[in-house]
Amino acid sequence: MVYIPKRYGQSRIDYCPFCEKQALVKNAQGVPVCSAHKNATIGEMKCICGGNLEIKEGKFGAFFLCDKCGPINMKKVLEINEVEAPEQKRDVASTKPKKEPQDELVVRGDDPYWCR
Ligand SMILES: [Zn+2]
Ligand SMILES: [Zn+2]
């Protein structure tokens, strides 16, 4: 009997940490992201120990490095940290301010002819 271990490593699918869609590109930090978030970057992440993590790009993709714990899998970090999706910039034209009717301010107190 020959035992053949299954290899999943080759067909790994990365997911965008911002929206959990399939990651197709990498952002500036080397983190796999979807095409919509290619300009987004991950902010400060905390380690399980409470320390700050530094983002690194390695041979097998991006990972986080803790002073105390060493390298930590990005998936793990994303599990314990909340990643906020950056707000998408909207077209300025679509958010036109509503034209509010201006109340006419009538000042009568200063009227010099207000005498009887
Ligand atoms: Zn995304
Ligand atoms: Zn740590």
Side-chain angles (χ1 to χ4, degrees):
M1 224 173 107
V2 183
Y3 177 69
I4 302 164
K6 284 182 184 171
R7 305 192 88 178
Y8 289 107
Q10 304 297 313
S11 56
R12 185 171 68 118
I13 297 171
D14 288 311
Y15 293 96
C16 175
F18 300 106
C19 64
E20 286 166 6
K21 279 182 194 164
Q22 192 179 334
L24 302 166
V25 290
K26 282 181 181 182
N27 74 357
Q29 297 166 309
V31 178
V33 290
C34 75
S35 53
H37 289 124
K38 65 178 176 187
N39 294 320
T41 48
I42 292 176
E44 271 190 20
M45 291 280 135
K46 291 265 188 228
C47 180
I48 320 159
C49 71
N52 284 319
L53 292 169
E54 210 182 317
I55 194 160
K56 299 269 184 190
E57 194 181 0
K59 214 174 175 183
F60 303 103
F63 63 95
F64 289 90
L65 190 67
C66 174
D67 291 342
K68 293 171 194 166
C69 313
I72 295 172
N73 188 290
M74 195 168 73
K75 215 174 161 188
K76 187 90 202 159
V77 174
L78 296 173
E79 271 172 28
I80 57 166
N81 285 271
E82 252 180 65
V83 182
E84 273 182 48
E87 289 215 7
Q88 299 275 352
K89 275 182 188 169
R90 291 183 192 191
D91 293 332
V92 181
S94 67
T95 54
K96 268 185 196 166
K98 258 193 259 174
K99 212 174 183 184
E100 282 180 47
Q102 279 195 338
D103 288 324
E104 262 181 68
L105 196 69
V106 183
V107 181
R108 285 190 185 270
D110 293 336
D111 196 339
Y113 303 103
W114 186 255
C115 302
R116 274 190 191 175

